[in-house]
Amino acid sequence: MKKNTKLSRILFATVLIPIVAVLIALQLLPDKIPAHYDINMNIDRWGSKYETLLFPAVTLVMAIFMYIMARFAAKQENGAGNYKVLMICGISINLLFSAMTVWSLALAFKAVSGREINGVLSVKIIFIFAGIVIATIGNFMPKCKLNSLIGLRTKWSMANEDVWFKCQRFGGVLLVICGIIMSLISALADSIMLILTANIIIAVTAVGGSAAVSKIIYDRHQGSGGK
């Protein structure tokens, strides 16, 4: 119970990061700041600095959503492990949002001061953090108990507890590997298009590979007579 309370406190503490960052930035930024960038990170729209309040709003909504889902998983499906996994996922995602918030504010300060924005560096940072979050989530996937909310859920993986565990273990390992590769490629690549293309391929591989292997695991389980 204490661990659950600690995790929920950490989850909602992550909401404070973008709130504090945006409130400080609002005091220093001019009324008009970059509000949108094209694929090459060129500014294609300017807007009110108060649009930055969307960042903490999204982070708060995500925290509330993940907390509700975690409570539901713990109560309705008697899965304390699932509660922990959902909370870890929520914390990781909120930290990603927080990093994106701080970086977007840094870009706004650079733009209004007339300095050039390094588009490649911006995309690198986003996907490096995304890769870390994906690897973190993958690390906790094997702890998921059979449920209808989270994890690698296919009609094959949900056949029984044994198949479920093997699928989560494989899916978790694949996510960790894909997350690490995503971060490494993002750090080493020198082209926005290369980073985007490589990470799309990695994401498709992770999702498609996990689903395909869940079918293989199920078939092997059935072929062995459920052993």
Side-chain angles (χ1 to χ4, degrees), residues 96 121-134 179 182-188 195 199:
L96 174 60
L121 178 61
S122 298
V123 175
K124 278 176 178 286
I125 290 175
I126 292 172
F127 282 99
I128 288 172
F129 274 100
I132 293 172
V133 169
I134 289 173
M182 181 180 290
S183 293
L184 288 176
I185 289 178
S186 300
L188 298 174
I195 295 173
N199 286 319

Side-chain angles (χ1 to χ4, degrees), residues 6-60:
K6 184 178 180 180
L7 284 173
S8 63
R9 288 176 178 172
I10 295 174
L11 174 65
F12 285 103
T14 60
V15 177
L16 296 176
I17 300 173
I19 290 176
V20 172
V22 168
L23 289 179
I24 293 174
L26 286 176
Q27 308 304 313
L28 304 172
L29 287 169
D31 291 336
K32 294 294 182 180
I33 64 171
H36 192 268
Y37 304 84
D38 63 20
I39 193 171
N40 294 312
M41 292 302 293
N42 297 311
I43 302 169
D44 58 12
R45 185 175 75 85
W46 291 73
S48 170
K49 66 179 180 180
Y50 293 103
E51 290 184 35
T52 58
L53 290 170
L54 288 172
F55 290 116
V58 170
T59 310
L60 176 60

Side-chain angles (χ1 to χ4, degrees), residues 1-11 67 71 80 83-84 87 91:
M1 185 66 180
K2 288 184 179 180
K3 289 183 178 180
N4 290 348
T5 302
K6 184 178 180 180
L7 284 173
S8 63
R9 288 176 178 172
I10 295 174
L11 174 65
Y67 178 74
R71 291 293 299 270
Y83 177 94
K84 181 178 180 180
M87 296 298 281
I91 292 168

Side-chain angles (χ1 to χ4, degrees), residues 191-213:
S191 163
I192 292 177
M193 189 56 65
L194 177 59
I195 295 173
L196 294 177
T197 302
N199 286 319
I200 289 173
I201 293 173
I202 292 171
V204 171
T205 299
V207 175
S210 297
V213 172

